[in-house]
Amino acid sequence: MRLLGDWLESNSRNSHSKIILAVDVGGPLEARLDKAAALVSAVGEGVVAVKVNWHLLLPYGVLGLRELVKRCHDAGLPLIADMKLNDIGSTNVEAAETLFSNGFDALIANPFVGYADGADDLLEKSREMGKAVIMLVYMSHAGAKEGYGLKVGGEPLYVGFARKTKKWGADGAVVSSKSPRIIREVRSILRKDQVILSPGVGVQGGDARKALAAGSDYVIVGRSIASSKDPKRAVAALNHELQS
């Protein structure tokens, strides 16, 4: 079993990158898969992993994404399913088994579901299959504070989610790149081997350098790469910026 954190770290050393590519491609449904595959081929050497969300999972399903899975794995890149999974245990297990048995290496889940008959079954199944679960601790959109910032038991909900991520032994957490202060808080709670992945870089206004300086391990970048006229150059430029 290859731990996600170790895989990402190895790829980071080889590619000199901290970027996870989000292939959240839009446009006509029938063209999205080809666009995603071309994007992975173009920038695969400059990123550490690939993240897929509903833009592809809804129109294609796991069976329709097998070629993309193969392309990622041929490039040595783990594939993360951004489902924000948040259901009862049996449904979580069904989703995890379907994704993991069709080549996905990790999924993103929401700790709001709780542990008993929720996250516990999901985490047990992921360990059984040698896969990873990353908990959604703080999102990157403008309304995130309305939910994740709510005070529960005298502390923000995201703090409780970070504590659950540590207690439950998840592989890491998603925390917005737009919130360096929150990244620092979450980093102070998690174990050192639990990675922080930070979305929102680029179009949403997040700063990759500030996120990494605050304690993120990797940044998730999508639209600013996918919409670039030269995605490979865009990735190279961001990698250069983060290394300088």
Side-chain angles (χ1 to χ4, degrees), residues 88-138:
I88 63 171
S90 59
T91 301
N92 289 339
V93 167
E94 179 67 27
E97 282 188 314
T98 300
L99 289 162
F100 295 155
S101 62
N102 284 281
F104 282 81
D105 304 290
L107 63 80
I108 295 172
N110 199 322
F112 190 83
V113 69
Y115 190 69
D117 192 29
D120 57 347
D121 296 332
L122 171 62
L123 290 162
E124 182 180 350
K125 176 55 64 174
S126 71
R127 291 170 189 138
E128 176 188 315
M129 299 183 72
K131 304 292 185 174
V133 174
I134 303 156
M135 291 296 174
L136 183 60
V137 170
Y138 198 88

Side-chain angles (χ1 to χ4, degrees), residues 4 16 36 40 46 56 80 86 112-113 154 161 171 173-175 182 188 191 193 202-203 209 221 236-237:
L4 180 65
H16 305 289
V40 171
L56 293 177
I80 302 167
N86 185 30
F112 190 83
V113 69
F161 283 174
D171 297 86
V174 172
V175 185
I182 293 175
S188 72
R191 302 192 315 264
D193 64 336
V203 173
R209 295 186 71 169
V221 189

